[in-house]
Amino acid sequence: MKKQFFLFCFFCMSICGAAADMSNSMELSQLYIIGDATPYKWDVNATPEMERIADGVFRWTGQLESGREFKFINNRSFSKHIFGTVCGQSVSAGNTYSLTFVADWTLDGSKDFKFVPAATADYTIYVDLNTMMMSVNEKEDAVSLPATLYATGSALGGKIVELPLLGGSEFKASLTLSPGNVILIDTPEIGSATTCYLPLFDGVDITFGDGYTSSLITSATTSSRQGWSVSLPGTYTIYALVENNNVFARFNQRYRELYIVGGCCPLGWNYWTDPQSIRFSASTSSPEEVVWEGTLKPDWGESREEPNKFKILTAQDWFSINFHPYEADHTIIGESSYRSTGGPDVKWTISQPGYYRITLNTVKETIRGELLSTESVLAEETDAKGSVSVVGEDKIGVGVSSSSVVVTAAETPADVVVTAISGQTVCKGRASAAHPFTSRPLVDGIYIVSVMNSNRTLCRKVAIK
């Protein structure tokens, strides 16, 4: 009986899956060109997705053979067909043609109105599923991004803002935009030598997601084209990728999850066993920043891939956006920009084991790494009830008294820096045998006390409560 029940459930699921596949709706997110006039023939698995440059708008560049046929399909099956309005319609560059959409698994061949190229040539074809029109053009040469790039337009109040080139890979800038338009130019001032870089179609709105990239055109004036449109005010990051001449933007939003993974991390490349231990926390000093503190070291007593490297995940998987440096093996110490737009799977490196603080600004897309201690782990937390405790052979003492941090250095004088858990410096000074360091009274919270003498750097967590 149980077996029959499971078979029945499987049968119902199969029917539901088939029903989903048989949806009659047209999809505006994907399109494929197919036919013996194309390089892919009639192989649904060989034809690549056409380039999407707006919702329902696609572009393809390639060779078509005369006397043979082609059409479009809306998924990788012959269930959603997009073709012409008459049988055997001849197509040539410089013309537009009406399209028909039919959802039918068993389409009658006599109603499958395919196109026939008039000449063998390289073409650029645009398909707009919103208006059901196809434009056939001679092959268009791709527009390459210039050596310098600036943004302007009414969304910037007419100001001209530079987009720095980072790592030779992409131009990028975080901008506060008002409703209006954005145009990219190649000079710091608009003049007779200025070239404008614009999307192929006017009014591509950057407010509602990524996309709509690649198809750039150039113009000698900003007045004849609208450029990219901005509907909602806010902070956006504009990206212009050099390797494929793509331009797009993201509306800045906080990442709910960020995780540090790598051969030098406590869990290695494992993000699923104890994700809370490798998860970044919100900074108390800036809503744009998140912080992680912990031990990073190349030797955890086991064999690991890339033992001195790490990167950052935005979800508990390998497929979501990852954060990388722009160059391979970039040191984590100091501040630099990180990349969130793909590219090679390169990582940051550590040069020595220790206790680190890593701070990300997810609006400016910067990363700051600090080595808080050369000790492998930070000393245990001391609370306001404890006395000064002596740590190490050089007799450094760290503790609290009446809500103040107290540091003694019986052997060698030491510099002292007290920072909040957010990374903000609270106070600093010097401790010696004759003159211990005593901070001003501190508010309740967790602090990091860094003590540095000629022999070592010691860090200790101190709780004032």
Side-chain angles (χ1 to χ4, degrees):
M1 184 69 182
K2 184 183 290 186
K3 181 178 180 181
Q4 291 177 336
F5 174 75
F6 283 130
L7 288 173
F8 175 75
C9 291
F10 178 77
F11 175 72
C12 292
M13 291 172 65
S14 300
I15 291 176
C16 291
D21 287 342
M22 282 298 291
S23 168
N24 290 331
S25 61
M26 185 166 58
E27 301 172 49
L28 300 181
S29 61
Q30 60 190 25
L31 190 67
Y32 307 86
I33 187 171
I34 198 164
D36 56 5
T38 75
Y40 326 112
K41 306 307 178 185
W42 296 102
D43 187 346
V44 295
N45 295 313
T47 179
E49 283 193 26
M50 293 177 63
E51 177 190 3
R52 187 177 69 136
I53 53 179
D55 273 339
V57 183
F58 302 86
R59 181 173 73 171
W60 176 83
T61 296
Q63 187 181 82
L64 295 175
E65 292 187 37
S66 65
R68 298 184 180 273
E69 298 177 320
F70 75 94
K71 66 175 185 178
F72 306 95
I73 50 177
N74 207 201
N75 54 20
R76 289 192 184 277
S77 67
F78 290 104
S79 60
K80 297 181 179 181
H81 313 262
I82 297 169
F83 43 71
T85 55
V86 296
C87 182
Q89 185 165 23
S90 177
V91 298
S92 57
N95 296 294
T96 58
Y97 304 89
S98 297
L99 298 171
T100 303
F101 170 76
V102 174
D104 190 345
W105 278 95
T106 58
L107 180 65
D108 187 336
S110 64
K111 300 178 181 178
D112 192 1
F113 300 151
K114 306 177 186 71
F115 297 104
V116 179
T120 298
D122 291 330
Y123 296 89
T124 295
I125 293 177
Y126 294 92
V127 174
D128 187 345
L129 298 182
N130 303 291
T131 60
M132 294 304 289
M133 296 295 295
M134 175 182 72
S135 172
V136 180
N137 306 275
E138 294 180 358
K139 180 183 177 182
E140 297 176 352
D141 294 325
V143 173
S144 297
L145 290 166
T148 57
L149 198 62
Y150 303 83
T152 188
S154 60
L156 284 162
K159 295 186 299 182
I160 298 176
V161 180
E162 183 179 8
L163 275 65
L165 177 62
L166 300 175
S169 303
E170 65 184 9
F171 297 92
K172 179 172 70 175
S174 177
L175 304 174
T176 300
L177 303 178
S178 302
N181 74 311
V182 174
I183 290 173
L184 300 181
I185 59 177
D186 61 354
T187 56
E189 296 181 356
I190 297 176
S192 58
T194 299
T195 299
C196 303
Y197 293 80
L198 308 157
L200 177 69
F201 297 101
D202 267 343
V204 172
D205 200 308
I206 66 174
T207 304
F208 303 105
D210 299 351
Y212 322 155
T213 63
S214 285
S215 300
L216 298 175
I217 63 169
T218 59
S219 172
T221 175
T222 61
S223 61
S224 62
R225 303 282 299 197
Q226 180 181 349
W228 288 271
S229 177
V230 181
S231 296
L232 298 178
T235 302
Y236 296 78
T237 300
I238 296 180
Y239 308 83
L241 279 60
V242 174
E243 58 257 42
N244 55 16
N245 300 300
N246 284 1
V247 175
F248 66 97
R250 291 185 184 136
F251 191 91
N252 287 128
Q253 58 183 357
R254 294 184 185 180
Y255 287 91
R256 295 182 179 180
E257 304 174 47
L258 289 173
Y259 304 93
I260 182 170
V261 294
C264 62
C265 300
L267 300 181
W269 296 100
N270 177 346
Y271 57 77
W272 55 88
T273 299
D274 183 18
Q276 286 302 117
S277 67
I278 59 171
R279 185 173 181 171
F280 284 75
S281 302
S283 169
T284 58
S285 61
S286 171
E288 298 178 357
E289 292 185 342
V290 292
V291 181
W292 180 85
E293 284 189 10
T295 299
L296 299 176
K297 58 182 182 179
D299 183 8
W300 289 88
E302 61 185 13
S303 177
R304 292 184 174 184
E305 291 185 13
E306 301 181 295
N308 67 331
K309 302 180 183 182
F310 72 90
K311 65 178 180 178
I312 296 168
L313 307 181
T314 62
Q316 293 183 44
D317 60 58
W318 300 115
F319 310 106
S320 301
I321 293 173
N322 292 183
F323 296 164
H324 306 267
Y326 281 94
E327 297 92 17
D329 303 331
H330 193 283
T331 179
I332 187 55
I333 299 300
E335 184 168 339
S336 59
S337 296
Y338 65 77
R339 185 171 185 178
S340 64
T341 55
D345 188 21
V346 296
K347 288 95 177 175
W348 288 279
T349 62
I350 62 169
S351 58
Q352 59 180 318
Y355 193 88
Y356 288 79
R357 176 189 292 131
I358 298 174
T359 305
L360 297 177
N361 187 310
T362 57
V363 174
K364 298 178 181 178
E365 296 199 351
T366 59
I367 183 169
R368 183 174 68 253
E370 303 167 80
L371 178 61
L372 300 181
S373 173
T374 53
E375 303 287 328
S376 294
V377 295
L378 200 63
E380 292 297 323
E381 188 176 294
T382 298
D383 63 28
K385 300 176 182 178
S387 60
V388 173
S389 57
V390 177
V391 182
E393 296 180 356
D394 42 9
K395 297 181 181 179
I396 294 174
V398 180
V400 293
S401 176
S402 300
S403 299
S404 294
V405 172
V406 179
V407 178
T408 61
E411 296 289 341
T412 306
D415 293 318
V416 181
V417 178
V418 180
T419 58
I421 196 69
S422 63
Q424 181 180 7
T425 299
V426 176
C427 56
K428 54 186 177 180
R430 190 165 177 81
S432 65
H435 301 284
F437 168 85
T438 302
S439 75
R440 59 177 173 79
L442 303 175
V443 299
D444 291 355
I446 304 296
Y447 298 87
I448 307 298
V449 182
S450 302
V451 185
M452 297 151 282
N453 62 20
S454 57
N455 299 318
R456 64 173 174 148
T457 298
L458 168 72
C459 287
R460 192 179 185 99
K461 276 186 181 179
V462 173
I464 304 294
K465 51 189 175 182

